[in-house]
mmCIF file of all heavy atoms in Angstrom:
data_model
loop_
_atom_site.group_PDB
_atom_site.id
_atom_site.type_symbol
_atom_site.label_atom_id
_atom_site.label_comp_id
_atom_site.label_asym_id
_atom_site.label_seq_id
_atom_site.Cartn_x
_atom_site.Cartn_y
_atom_site.Cartn_z
ATOM 1 N N MET A 326 14.076 9.398 3.449
ATOM 2 C CA MET A 326 14.078 9.168 4.900
ATOM 3 C C MET A 326 15.446 9.452 5.490
ATOM 4 O O MET A 326 15.559 10.149 6.498
ATOM 5 C CB MET A 326 13.685 7.714 5.196
ATOM 6 C CG MET A 326 12.205 7.473 5.127
ATOM 7 S SD MET A 326 11.803 5.811 5.687
ATOM 8 C CE MET A 326 12.032 5.957 7.449
ATOM 9 N N LEU A 327 16.489 8.922 4.830
ATOM 10 C CA LEU A 327 17.837 9.145 5.355
ATOM 11 C C LEU A 327 18.157 10.634 5.364
ATOM 12 O O LEU A 327 18.724 11.160 6.321
ATOM 13 C CB LEU A 327 18.858 8.385 4.506
ATOM 14 C CG LEU A 327 18.810 6.868 4.620
ATOM 15 C CD1 LEU A 327 19.729 6.231 3.595
ATOM 16 C CD2 LEU A 327 19.203 6.423 6.021
ATOM 17 N N PHE A 328 17.753 11.312 4.292
ATOM 18 C CA PHE A 328 18.005 12.753 4.208
ATOM 19 C C PHE A 328 17.364 13.485 5.386
ATOM 20 O O PHE A 328 17.998 14.329 6.023
ATOM 21 C CB PHE A 328 17.462 13.278 2.875
ATOM 22 C CG PHE A 328 17.564 14.762 2.706
ATOM 23 C CD1 PHE A 328 18.773 15.356 2.363
ATOM 24 C CD2 PHE A 328 16.457 15.577 2.890
ATOM 25 C CE1 PHE A 328 18.876 16.723 2.209
ATOM 26 C CE2 PHE A 328 16.548 16.945 2.742
ATOM 27 C CZ PHE A 328 17.764 17.518 2.400
ATOM 28 N N THR A 329 16.107 13.146 5.716
ATOM 29 C CA THR A 329 15.456 13.847 6.837
ATOM 30 C C THR A 329 16.150 13.529 8.160
ATOM 31 O O THR A 329 16.221 14.375 9.036
ATOM 32 C CB THR A 329 13.953 13.497 6.943
ATOM 33 O OG1 THR A 329 13.789 12.097 6.733
ATOM 34 C CG2 THR A 329 13.125 14.244 5.939
ATOM 35 N N TYR A 330 16.693 12.305 8.306
ATOM 36 C CA TYR A 330 17.421 11.986 9.540
ATOM 37 C C TYR A 330 18.764 12.714 9.588
ATOM 38 O O TYR A 330 19.136 13.275 10.604
ATOM 39 C CB TYR A 330 17.661 10.484 9.663
ATOM 40 C CG TYR A 330 16.436 9.707 10.040
ATOM 41 C CD1 TYR A 330 15.914 8.739 9.197
ATOM 42 C CD2 TYR A 330 15.784 9.943 11.247
ATOM 43 C CE1 TYR A 330 14.783 8.024 9.531
ATOM 44 C CE2 TYR A 330 14.657 9.225 11.592
ATOM 45 C CZ TYR A 330 14.160 8.268 10.731
ATOM 46 O OH TYR A 330 13.044 7.574 11.068
ATOM 47 N N PHE A 331 19.487 12.684 8.461
ATOM 48 C CA PHE A 331 20.825 13.285 8.437
ATOM 49 C C PHE A 331 20.762 14.786 8.677
ATOM 50 O O PHE A 331 21.650 15.375 9.269
ATOM 51 C CB PHE A 331 21.520 12.999 7.101
ATOM 52 C CG PHE A 331 21.895 11.556 6.910
ATOM 53 C CD1 PHE A 331 22.429 11.111 5.703
ATOM 54 C CD2 PHE A 331 21.723 10.642 7.936
ATOM 55 C CE1 PHE A 331 22.776 9.787 5.530
ATOM 56 C CE2 PHE A 331 22.063 9.308 7.773
ATOM 57 C CZ PHE A 331 22.585 8.876 6.559
ATOM 58 N N LYS A 332 19.684 15.408 8.182
ATOM 59 C CA LYS A 332 19.549 16.858 8.337
ATOM 60 C C LYS A 332 19.551 17.275 9.804
ATOM 61 O O LYS A 332 19.943 18.384 10.147
ATOM 62 C CB LYS A 332 18.226 17.319 7.698
ATOM 63 C CG LYS A 332 18.419 18.021 6.385
ATOM 64 C CD LYS A 332 17.153 18.733 5.916
ATOM 65 C CE LYS A 332 15.881 18.308 6.599
ATOM 66 N NZ LYS A 332 14.677 18.916 6.064
ATOM 67 N N GLU A 333 19.069 16.360 10.667
ATOM 68 C CA GLU A 333 18.973 16.683 12.092
ATOM 69 C C GLU A 333 20.341 16.671 12.775
ATOM 70 O O GLU A 333 20.483 17.178 13.877
ATOM 71 C CB GLU A 333 18.056 15.683 12.809
ATOM 72 C CG GLU A 333 16.691 15.512 12.181
ATOM 73 C CD GLU A 333 15.813 16.734 12.379
ATOM 74 O OE1 GLU A 333 15.795 17.249 13.502
ATOM 75 O OE2 GLU A 333 15.171 17.177 11.399
ATOM 76 N N ILE A 334 21.326 16.052 12.145
ATOM 77 C CA ILE A 334 22.660 15.971 12.767
ATOM 78 C C ILE A 334 23.373 17.306 12.552
ATOM 79 O O ILE A 334 23.432 17.805 11.425
ATOM 80 C CB ILE A 334 23.481 14.834 12.127
ATOM 81 C CG1 ILE A 334 22.804 13.498 12.419
ATOM 82 C CG2 ILE A 334 24.917 14.837 12.659
ATOM 83 C CD1 ILE A 334 23.409 12.350 11.668
ATOM 84 N N PRO A 335 23.912 17.904 13.635
ATOM 85 C CA PRO A 335 24.587 19.196 13.471
ATOM 86 C C PRO A 335 25.765 19.074 12.500
ATOM 87 O O PRO A 335 26.571 18.147 12.598
ATOM 88 C CB PRO A 335 25.078 19.507 14.888
ATOM 89 C CG PRO A 335 24.309 18.629 15.793
ATOM 90 C CD PRO A 335 23.877 17.442 15.011
ATOM 91 N N LYS A 336 25.827 20.014 11.582
ATOM 92 C CA LYS A 336 26.879 19.998 10.566
ATOM 93 C C LYS A 336 28.264 20.060 11.194
ATOM 94 O O LYS A 336 29.219 19.521 10.650
ATOM 95 C CB LYS A 336 26.703 21.198 9.633
ATOM 96 C CG LYS A 336 26.088 20.835 8.294
ATOM 97 C CD LYS A 336 26.154 22.021 7.371
ATOM 98 C CE LYS A 336 25.794 21.570 5.967
ATOM 99 N NZ LYS A 336 25.718 22.668 5.037
ATOM 100 N N GLU A 337 28.345 20.751 12.354
ATOM 101 C CA GLU A 337 29.660 21.002 12.966
ATOM 102 C C GLU A 337 30.378 19.694 13.281
ATOM 103 O O GLU A 337 31.599 19.595 13.163
ATOM 104 C CB GLU A 337 29.514 21.824 14.263
ATOM 105 C CG GLU A 337 29.042 23.243 14.061
ATOM 106 C CD GLU A 337 27.557 23.328 13.727
ATOM 107 O OE1 GLU A 337 26.782 22.489 14.242
ATOM 108 O OE2 GLU A 337 27.173 24.199 12.928
ATOM 109 N N ILE A 338 29.606 18.685 13.683
ATOM 110 C CA ILE A 338 30.241 17.416 14.059
ATOM 111 C C ILE A 338 30.968 16.821 12.854
ATOM 112 O O ILE A 338 32.108 16.369 12.946
ATOM 113 C CB ILE A 338 29.178 16.432 14.588
ATOM 114 C CG1 ILE A 338 28.517 17.006 15.834
ATOM 115 C CG2 ILE A 338 29.809 15.080 14.888
ATOM 116 C CD1 ILE A 338 27.470 16.129 16.454
#
Side-chain angles (χ1 to χ4, degrees):
Chain A
M326 280 187 74
L327 291 172
F328 176 78
T329 42
Y330 285 118
F331 291 174
K332 255 192 344 185
E333 307 289 315
I334 296 171
K336 257 189 169 175
E337 292 75 34
I338 298 181

